[in-house]
Amino acid sequence: MKSIVIREDIENLQKLIPLSKLLDILEVEIIESVMLEGGGKILLEVVGRYASENEYYMAHIINKEGTSCMLLMSGDRILNAECHRPDGGEIPVNPELIKGLLYSSNVRKLDMYRVKSPFVRWAEKYNIGVEPLDTVHRNMFEKFNMVIKYILDGELGKMQEAFREAYNASIAHFELEEKLQDKCMYDKRKKKSHVKRHLEFKKLMDKLASTSHASQFVKLLMDLYTYIASYLDYMLKEDLELAEHLKKCLGKDGD
């Protein structure tokens, strides 16, 4: 098994991007749950099973006293961590604390979770069968996925540039939809509702785009995420209705 690499600035990153907040915008699925009797060696063996996978996962570790730590990992790297005492109080993390935890014989339970970006689900769910719109939807979701990836990786410098690309992809999506609605003489009342949603979503994106400091951007994104998600979900449901009209007007492939 490869050795586990712990991010040196993990304490600072945990303050900028708390895992408890990050979990509010991520999808996780449990992939393994183990009661540990042999301590650190078995813990490292379990964690090591996922070290070669090119994806993100979380290890939730609980010791015999009830102290718990959540580790965000990718391959053999620990990217972020958050630890709590049995009474719920937070314990400051650092590489030495995490290293001691991994090799401890005091660990009682380990739960492993696979982490998925929420925008993957949307990309799969909202193929509407009109190729021009499916293309801009996929592009928009790919760009938003990159924002999440850089947040997970703790690459704050790249994160805001990725958001600008997601912003531009969203605007391109709106402009194409409105152009196709005009071309195919979509119901004016429905178009007005559609455009209103576009403007409301753009307002949210403008608020994020105007945030210059990386840590403020992450906090604002997490605070606004549920609101953003509800807008995306609603807009895409409206797109399904629009798609039926466009298929009649443009043909199967939307040409």
Side-chain angles (χ1 to χ4, degrees):
M1 187 198 79
K2 295 180 180 179
S3 60
I4 301 296
V5 179
I6 304 169
R7 187 178 175 123
E8 291 184 1
D9 62 344
I10 196 166
E11 183 173 5
N12 184 52
L13 186 63
Q14 196 279 322
K15 294 174 182 176
L16 291 173
I17 310 176
L19 275 187
S20 53
K21 290 285 289 182
L22 190 55
L23 279 169
D24 290 341
I25 69 171
L26 294 174
E27 292 186 8
V28 297
E29 60 176 350
I30 191 161
I31 51 179
E32 188 164 0
S33 183
V34 183
M35 299 301 295
L36 298 170
E37 300 294 338
K41 182 178 179 181
I42 295 177
L43 171 63
L44 286 171
E45 287 176 357
V46 175
V47 171
R49 291 175 195 164
Y50 305 94
S52 62
E53 294 188 17
N54 186 26
E55 60 183 15
Y56 298 95
Y57 57 97
M58 287 191 178
H60 184 209
I61 300 168
I62 304 173
N63 71 15
K64 294 174 183 177
E65 285 75 41
T67 298
S68 66
C69 288
M70 184 73 81
L71 310 179
L72 172 64
M73 311 182 74
S74 177
D76 59 353
R77 298 173 298 142
I78 296 179
L79 302 170
N80 205 339
E82 188 170 315
C83 297
H84 294 271
R85 299 188 300 270
D87 63 6
E90 190 171 329
I91 302 172
V93 298
N94 58 61
E96 290 304 313
L97 183 147
I98 301 302
K99 190 180 297 182
L101 178 71
L102 290 172
Y103 289 94
S104 172
S105 60
N106 196 32
V107 175
R108 175 172 58 87
K109 187 181 180 186
L110 168 66
D111 293 324
M112 297 295 299
Y113 297 86
R114 182 173 286 110
V115 176
K116 293 183 177 182
S117 170
F119 298 108
V120 171
R121 174 179 60 82
W122 271 319
E124 294 170 349
K125 184 177 180 181
Y126 288 107
N127 281 321
I128 62 177
V130 178
E131 184 52 39
L133 288 183
D134 283 340
T135 297
V136 293
H137 283 162
R138 283 193 296 270
N139 185 51
M140 181 175 70
F141 291 135
E142 286 171 4
K143 300 301 185 184
F144 275 112
N145 276 329
M146 289 305 297
V147 177
I148 299 297
K149 172 179 165 43
Y150 289 132
I151 290 175
L152 289 171
D153 287 342
E155 296 190 46
L156 303 186
K158 295 180 179 180
M159 172 196 63
Q160 287 178 290
E161 177 60 32
F163 175 76
R164 282 190 284 271
E165 293 184 8
Y167 178 97
N168 291 335
S170 299
I171 299 302
H173 159 224
F174 299 157
E175 289 175 348
L176 177 61
E177 281 190 355
E178 292 170 21
K179 178 181 177 181
L180 292 176
Q181 286 172 344
D182 288 338
K183 179 178 179 179
C184 292
M185 294 183 293
Y186 195 49
D187 180 272
K188 289 183 179 180
R189 180 182 56 82
K190 292 180 179 178
K191 183 193 174 185
K192 184 177 179 180
S193 174
H194 225 76
V195 172
K196 181 183 177 183
R197 287 287 172 181
H198 290 173
L199 291 174
E200 288 171 342
F201 187 75
K202 183 178 181 297
K203 187 176 180 180
L204 286 176
M205 296 296 97
D206 286 340
K207 189 173 183 179
L208 279 162
S210 65
T211 305
S212 59
H213 195 278
S215 61
Q216 293 173 345
F217 173 88
V218 174
K219 182 181 185 304
L220 186 58
L221 176 63
M222 292 178 182
D223 289 344
L224 290 175
Y225 178 77
T226 300
Y227 200 40
I228 292 169
S230 67
Y231 267 111
L232 277 173
D233 206 47
Y234 187 88
M235 283 192 300
L236 289 169
K237 286 175 182 175
E238 286 189 330
D239 287 354
L240 292 172
E241 182 179 359
L242 171 63
E244 295 307 310
H245 179 81
L246 294 180
K247 287 174 186 176
K248 296 173 185 175
C249 168
L250 303 172
K252 182 179 178 182
D253 297 323
D255 296 328

